[in-house]
Amino acid sequence: MYKVYFTKLIRLQTMNVFTQCLNPLTGTVTWEEKDENYDYHQEVARSAFADMLHDSERNQKYNAAIEAAIKCKHELGQEANVLDIGTGTGLLSMMAAKCGADSITACEAFTPMAKCAIKIIQENGFEDKIKLVHKRSTKMTVGKDGDIIKRANILVTEIFDTELIGEGALFTFRHAHENLLEENCIVVPHTATVWVQVVESAAVCAWNTIHPIQHKNQNLLKIPHSIKSCSGAAAVHDIQLTQFPYNAFKPLLPPQPIFRFTLSNKSHLLYNETNCLHVKATESGTAHAIFMWWNLIMDINNEILLSCAPVWEHPDAKMLQNKGIPLDVIADVIPWRDHWMQAIYYLPVETPVTANNEVCLIGYHDEYSLWFQLINESIKKVPDCERPICSCNVHVAYCRTRIGQLNDHTRNKKYIEALKKKITSDTVCLCLTDGCLLGLAAITLGAKKIYILETNFLSRKCIEMFVETNSLTEKVHIVKSVDNLPPESEINLIFGEPYFITSIVPWENLYFWYLASKYSSQIQRIPIAATLMGVIVEFKDLHNIRAPLGICEGFDLSIFDKLIQISSDKSDSPIEAQPLWEYPGKALSLPFVIKKFDLLQNVNEHKNINISAAVPILKNGTCNGVALWVDWHLDSEITISSGPTAEVQPGKRISWDRFTRQGVHLFKDIARVTQRSVVSYSFNFVPQHGNVKFDFHILSKSMK
């Protein structure tokens, strides 16, 4: 079960620690006893690089480029002296050793990984060839008594993130050139290029800008000007663009390279840079956002390309398309990466463009971030543009998933239909949801008065803006604390979506139940029930974020597997939250009901729940996960699901709601299952304490 941990710790004489944590189900703060090394284990578990190391294309192209660099130095009659910055498991250093490097110095600042790398290097027989320095590269020294005797002439490193430069790559490369590398060194990778594509997409906008709530051509809630004019969150929106429906956006400009960094040349590594591209629009429309990805040229001969492009722009995919292979089939063979996703940048101003007319696409970057603007006319002087930051609080108070949820017309329509059945001119409603815009819309539907519980300061400020813009001050009362909820005599309807900022997995929104239980069951409620659901899944790729490596490119990394597994067992929940629409997976079973909760009952009077059952596998496949979600029953006829958006069919890909995160259990021991197999599970819920526990096991007869 997920809990929000505070930094406050109390250490015992036994060296164990008590950790203060918030239970998102009950809203109470408790103390939990943890192992003395809990912080250490949590940090190690979060540093897992498994999905990156499972990326065989990445590994093979790094290996090919390292081999080419070493060969180049040897052909020039020089030694190949390699520096590996941020070595992690030591994989790239071992590749260099296998390719014949004369000397290899690897550095790793993260203590657990440095110790792990030393053991891995020893286990693979390279302890005499690789020197590991437990430091950041920026702290390393060169000289007789230094960390390396002389400057290296080959640098290998992988310090990139979704935004390419977000992990401080520019500073790291510049420092290395100035202090650790020879002048004519070879850097692997050799160059990095940022690509952008301007698009029109209402679906993309839904993650960034709150739109008016409408019902049957009636505007139920207006949007404050400060929200409409806000440029959005400064943080990059990382996303698996390949999974974004191709019919949900329209490219307005062809993809453009906008920044190119020659990593082998310090003068090409600028901390602040602006680039203006004059491009003809290929389509007419409104430019809403920019899709971004990057690629690497791994070698100095420009022969080894590693692309992070989405499937429709991936160079390998284009070759397959030319052979007549459908795009959805190609998507299954393009390398999958969760460590290097694509990104969306929202334009500060939506800009209309006309086909065949020239526009100016301007890119900016500082040491760590990128941002963009679009001007639909030719310009001679490039305007300054500060990095966008949120000025309306919405993008700080709510995650993008929640903003998208607020804009989900189908979902809002169901809530409005349920509210209309209950609301009269005498209705006094208590809204138990963070950022409850639908609660405000209830006034327009005819409610007499609305109480809205808003304990989060930023969310409360957002609601106050909506109240003022829609002239609802006299009919809306914002409650700042659970302790100040109105008495039962003042309300006759309790409403929730439900959504709470502190909730991570879907069932933690049952906090609504705990709050509603402060009142008698005689008061009408929306929703009236919640059903916890699950389905057995064969994920195409997602399981690789937790899957052990074993042998990776011929090197034994099982020591790393053990380190991560031990720390994960001590610090991780067996269920994590993931936006499953981004991760293809097919159903191996039908959806199954774990437990239906009657939200009209008092949760505090509910008995402990202990359920054990087995789910039959209906399609042969590889069982690597279980997906979990909640269906909210607004009344006997209307249900909102945080799970699949279409009927689940065993053997078919599941379509998931884009505006919620589902719970996921990934099996440590993945099994090939048949239609004679079952997955057993247990579910334990202690309402008094809000403790939830899941346990899953594969009981299979292996396929031969």
Side-chain angles (χ1 to χ4, degrees):
M1 159 139 184
Y2 278 85
K3 296 179 183 178
V4 180
Y5 287 92
F6 299 94
T7 56
K8 189 173 183 180
L9 300 174
I10 294 179
R11 294 196 175 270
L12 305 175
Q13 290 183 346
T14 60
M15 295 306 293
N16 279 12
V17 297
F18 274 120
T19 306
Q20 194 179 31
C21 62
L22 169 69
N23 185 312
L25 262 179
T26 63
T28 57
V29 175
T30 58
W31 292 90
E32 290 188 1
E33 186 176 355
K34 297 290 183 183
D35 179 274
E36 64 172 317
N37 296 316
Y38 174 76
D39 287 347
Y40 163 87
H41 289 300
Q42 194 173 43
E43 190 174 7
V44 170
R46 295 283 64 76
S47 72
F49 314 119
D51 70 288
M52 179 173 68
L53 295 169
H54 278 294
D55 185 349
S56 58
E57 186 200 37
R58 164 200 175 272
N59 298 340
Q60 291 163 11
K61 290 188 173 180
Y62 259 98
N63 187 78
I66 291 169
E67 184 177 21
I70 292 170
K71 182 180 179 182
C72 178
K73 289 300 180 184
H74 284 167
E75 288 177 347
L76 293 172
Q78 301 175 14
E79 289 185 345
N81 298 315
V82 176
L83 172 63
D84 177 5
I85 293 179
T87 192
T89 60
L91 178 63
L92 300 186
S93 286
M94 292 189 294
M95 287 178 175
K98 196 171 181 180
C99 290
D102 296 281
S103 72
I104 306 160
T105 303
C107 68
E108 176 58 54
F110 184 41
T111 300
M113 282 310 308
K115 292 180 178 179
C116 180
I118 289 172
K119 293 178 181 178
I120 290 173
I121 289 166
Q122 291 173 343
E123 183 73 19
N124 286 274
F126 296 110
E127 65 269 30
D128 294 334
K129 297 183 178 181
I130 301 170
K131 176 184 178 181
L132 193 139
V133 179
H134 180 201
K135 286 183 179 179
R136 293 184 180 277
S137 64
T138 53
K139 301 295 183 182
M140 290 179 67
T141 57
V142 179
K144 182 179 179 182
D145 299 319
D147 299 307
I148 49 177
I149 295 176
K150 61 180 180 180
R151 291 178 178 238
N153 59 8
I154 298 175
L155 170 64
V156 298
T157 187
E158 193 284 275
I159 50 174
F160 310 112
D161 65 351
T162 292
E163 208 166 9
L164 183 70
I165 60 175
E167 292 184 0
L170 291 176
F171 177 77
T172 301
F173 280 111
R174 284 182 63 93
H175 178 273
H177 278 292
E178 292 169 357
N179 299 279
L180 305 173
L181 301 173
E182 292 182 358
E183 185 173 343
N184 295 317
C185 66
I186 298 174
V187 175
V188 177
H190 176 54
T191 65
T193 303
V194 175
W195 287 78
V196 290
Q197 185 172 33
V198 178
V199 300
E200 174 184 270
S201 174
V204 165
C205 282
W207 282 309
N208 189 59
T209 304
I210 297 179
H211 303 299
I213 296 179
Q214 296 179 320
H215 183 66
K216 294 183 178 179
N217 297 322
Q218 181 185 8
N219 197 348
L220 300 183
L221 199 68
K222 295 184 292 185
I223 306 302
H225 176 74
S226 60
I227 294 177
K228 289 191 290 186
S229 61
C230 181
S231 57
V236 65
H237 185 179
D238 52 347
I239 189 172
Q240 295 281 2
L241 273 180
T242 290
Q243 303 308 320
F244 190 66
Y246 193 68
N247 61 2
F249 68 94
K250 179 168 69 173
L252 301 179
L253 305 182
Q256 301 289 317
I258 196 162
F259 292 116
R260 187 173 187 268
F261 303 96
T262 302
L263 305 177
S264 298
N265 190 329
K266 185 185 74 171
S267 63
H268 288 202
L269 302 173
L270 304 177
Y271 289 155
N272 293 280
E273 193 174 2
T274 300
N275 195 11
C276 180
L277 303 179
H278 299 268
V279 188
K280 279 190 176 182
T282 54
E283 296 279 353
S284 297
T286 301
H288 293 132
I290 290 176
F291 291 166
M292 185 280 285
W293 61 90
W294 47 264
N295 64 29
L296 302 174
I297 299 295
M298 304 300 294
D299 64 315
I300 57 175
N301 294 323
N302 299 321
E303 295 175 348
I304 305 171
L305 171 67
L306 193 158
S307 175
C308 293
V311 64
W312 64 83
E313 287 298 335
H314 198 285
D316 294 344
K318 288 187 174 183
M319 289 191 295
L320 294 173
Q321 273 188 294
N322 291 336
K323 296 179 180 179
I325 300 175
L327 204 60
D328 58 341
V329 175
I330 296 172
D332 289 335
V333 298
I334 295 301
W336 174 82
R337 300 184 174 99
D338 211 45
H339 51 287
W340 295 336
M341 295 191 201
Q342 297 83 35
I344 298 174
Y345 293 85
Y346 297 93
L347 289 166
V349 179
E350 295 182 0
T351 306
V353 300
T354 304
N356 298 317
N357 282 8
E358 188 175 273
V359 298
C360 292
L361 174 59
I362 309 170
Y364 307 82
H365 78 79
D366 57 19
E367 190 175 343
Y368 300 100
S369 305
L370 308 168
W371 63 97
F372 305 90
Q373 69 170 319
L374 187 72
I375 299 175
N376 64 353
E377 60 184 6
S378 296
I379 56 172
K380 294 182 179 180
K381 183 179 180 182
V382 177
D384 291 332
C385 179
E386 295 294 323
R387 184 186 178 209
I389 58 172
C390 174
S391 57
C392 71
N393 292 316
V394 165
H395 304 90
V396 182
Y398 310 123
C399 64
R400 290 190 174 93
T401 299
R402 172 57 174 167
I403 294 173
Q405 199 176 75
L406 293 170
N407 288 320
D408 187 343
H409 176 73
T410 302
R411 174 182 172 278
N412 288 346
K413 181 181 177 181
K414 289 185 176 182
Y415 276 110
I416 291 168
E417 288 174 354
L419 281 167
K420 287 180 71 175
K421 293 180 183 181
K422 299 291 186 182
I423 287 177
T424 70
S425 59
D426 294 323
T427 297
V428 178
C429 181
L430 170 60
C431 300
L432 301 175
T433 289
D434 291 340
C436 194
L437 300 185
L438 286 165
L440 295 178
I443 292 291
T444 313
L445 294 174
K448 180 180 179 180
K449 186 176 182 179
I450 301 293
Y451 288 94
I452 294 184
L453 177 64
E454 281 290 353
T455 59
N456 180 278
F457 173 73
L458 288 174
S459 182
R460 186 163 64 243
K461 286 180 70 68
C462 295
I463 291 297
E464 287 171 349
M465 285 193 297
F466 277 94
V467 169
E468 182 178 350
T469 297
N470 290 273
S471 304
L472 300 176
T473 306
E474 294 183 2
K475 292 190 175 184
V476 175
H477 180 72
I478 298 176
V479 182
K480 299 180 181 180
S481 168
V482 174
D483 296 331
N484 295 326
L485 287 171
E488 187 166 318
S489 59
E490 292 189 21
I491 62 172
N492 48 36
L493 175 64
I494 298 174
F495 171 74
E497 300 187 33
Y499 167 84
F500 298 96
I501 291 170
T502 54
S503 299
I504 298 175
V505 285
W507 50 91
E508 288 176 353
N509 288 313
L510 284 170
Y511 181 44
F512 168 84
W513 192 14
Y514 284 83
L515 292 172
S517 292
K518 295 179 180 295
Y519 298 89
S520 74
S521 59
Q522 303 304 311
I523 297 179
Q524 297 184 95
R525 296 180 189 179
I526 302 174
I528 61 171
T531 303
L532 179 58
M533 304 286 296
V535 66
I536 312 303
V537 182
E538 176 182 312
F539 288 110
K540 177 178 174 288
D541 302 297
L542 180 61
H543 61 288
N544 284 327
I545 65 174
R546 299 287 176 265
L549 291 159
I551 304 300
C552 179
E553 307 303 328
F555 303 101
D556 187 352
L557 300 186
S558 56
I559 292 172
F560 170 77
D561 292 335
K562 292 175 184 176
L563 171 71
I564 297 300
Q565 191 58 64
I566 290 170
S567 291
S568 179
D569 289 344
K570 290 180 179 293
S571 65
D572 283 349
S573 166
I575 309 293
E576 57 189 284
Q578 294 285 356
L580 289 185
W581 74 270
E582 294 187 53
Y583 302 100
K586 67 179 181 180
L588 298 181
S589 74
L590 287 171
F592 57 93
V593 174
I594 298 174
K595 177 64 180 175
K596 186 172 183 178
F597 303 98
D598 183 353
L599 304 186
L600 299 178
Q601 293 182 350
N602 189 315
V603 67
N604 301 304
E605 298 173 0
H606 211 290
K607 295 181 180 179
N608 294 354
I609 297 171
N610 294 285
I611 296 172
S612 295
V615 182
I617 298 297
L618 300 182
K619 285 290 182 179
N620 298 347
T622 301
C623 182
N624 52 34
V626 181
L628 303 162
W629 69 94
V630 174
D631 287 343
W632 300 95
H633 309 286
L634 308 189
D635 56 31
S636 60
E637 299 175 325
I638 303 174
T639 295
I640 297 284
S641 179
S642 63
T645 57
E647 181 184 356
V648 174
Q649 300 180 47
K652 303 292 185 181
R653 179 172 174 174
I654 306 172
S655 175
W656 296 99
D657 176 31
R658 288 209 300 267
F659 303 127
T660 55
R661 290 173 180 259
Q662 292 72 35
V664 182
H665 172 79
L666 297 174
F667 287 106
K668 296 175 185 175
D669 299 317
I670 297 171
R672 188 75 176 155
V673 293
T674 71
Q675 295 177 43
R676 295 178 296 169
S677 308
V678 298
V679 171
S680 67
Y681 72 87
S682 64
F683 171 70
N684 306 102
F685 175 42
V686 183
Q688 181 183 356
H689 303 296
N691 293 335
V692 174
K693 183 180 179 182
F694 294 90
D695 195 21
F696 297 94
H697 296 281
I698 304 170
L699 304 176
S700 64
K701 294 182 180 180
S702 299
M703 294 179 65
K704 295 182 180 180

